[in-house]
Amino acid sequence: TLQFGFQSIAKSLMASCFSGMPSQEYKAFLFDLAKSFANDINPSVKCWSEGLVSDKYRIHILTGSFLPLATGISDHLGWGQSIGTDLEIRSGRLTGKLSTPAIKGYQKVKSIQRVFTLKEHHFRFLAAAGDSYSDRYLLEKCSLRYFPRNASRRLIRYFAAK
């Protein structure tokens, strides 16, 4: 879809902007940016996540965005492991290329299964938040779903029709 194409182009453009930057500077930059994001997190998302933590859920970020950014947000909020897209590093410098394809669509389900060694029946014990139509694969499998205010209308319509 156009959304996938745009996201891929945007990630490639951002990756090229970081080209040649020392990897430690890149990670420090995104970690500082993450602190700002964590401080400005949407109040409804913050309330939802605090409720999950109080109910003994562990929170992990799974995103097509850059891994150091997701890890930084997770660290600042006291959440668990993050899974995301990272940039290729050679000789301590960023090459300007993605090291792996961005995680999207059904790849999110497969990533969770691989990293946390989950079987199909484990998904009923998971909660997920999603804002794009490509998140529907993961959201369908989880018993508790959250759609932030910025969720796409197409995603909302998809679940409303079920």
Side-chain angles (χ1 to χ4, degrees):
T1 66
L2 179 61
Q3 181 180 9
F4 285 161
F6 176 74
Q7 288 176 349
S8 297
I9 291 168
K11 281 185 184 60
S12 295
L13 283 173
M14 286 187 68
S16 66
C17 290
F18 290 120
S19 183
M21 180 185 275
S23 62
Q24 293 307 320
E25 285 181 31
Y26 155 73
K27 290 177 181 175
F29 168 76
L30 288 182
F31 191 79
D32 287 343
L33 184 61
K35 184 177 182 181
S36 174
F37 284 170
N39 289 336
D40 293 335
I41 195 166
N42 180 320
S44 63
V45 172
K46 189 170 186 153
C47 181
W48 184 71
S49 65
E50 288 170 350
L52 289 174
V53 170
S54 71
D55 287 342
K56 307 295 185 229
Y57 278 83
R58 291 178 305 174
I59 298 179
H60 303 276
I61 296 176
L62 173 64
T63 181
S65 295
F66 297 131
L67 183 58
L69 181 62
T71 300
I73 292 170
S74 191
D75 288 352
H76 288 298
L77 294 172
W79 294 350
Q81 177 182 357
S82 297
I83 304 167
T85 303
D86 214 347
L87 299 177
E88 182 180 81
I89 298 171
R90 287 199 186 138
S91 302
R93 293 197 171 275
L94 296 168
T95 65
K97 299 176 185 172
L98 300 178
S99 63
T100 58
I103 301 169
K104 61 187 174 196
Y106 199 74
Q107 296 163 352
K108 288 185 176 183
V109 173
K110 291 297 184 188
S111 293
I112 287 177
Q113 286 176 315
R114 186 184 70 255
V115 171
F116 299 110
T117 59
L118 296 178
K119 303 289 184 219
E120 195 67 30
H121 66 275
H122 291 130
F123 280 92
R124 71 174 185 259
F125 300 107
L126 298 181
D131 61 355
S132 76
Y133 188 67
S134 69
D135 292 332
R136 74 188 180 282
Y137 300 104
L138 178 59
L139 290 165
E140 278 182 316
K141 293 193 169 292
C142 297
S143 60
L144 185 58
R145 302 174 186 125
Y146 177 78
F147 305 95
R149 281 184 284 175
N150 67 328
S152 77
R153 290 183 190 155
R154 187 175 179 201
L155 177 67
I156 301 298
R157 283 194 308 266
Y158 178 82
F159 280 98
K162 288 192 153 261

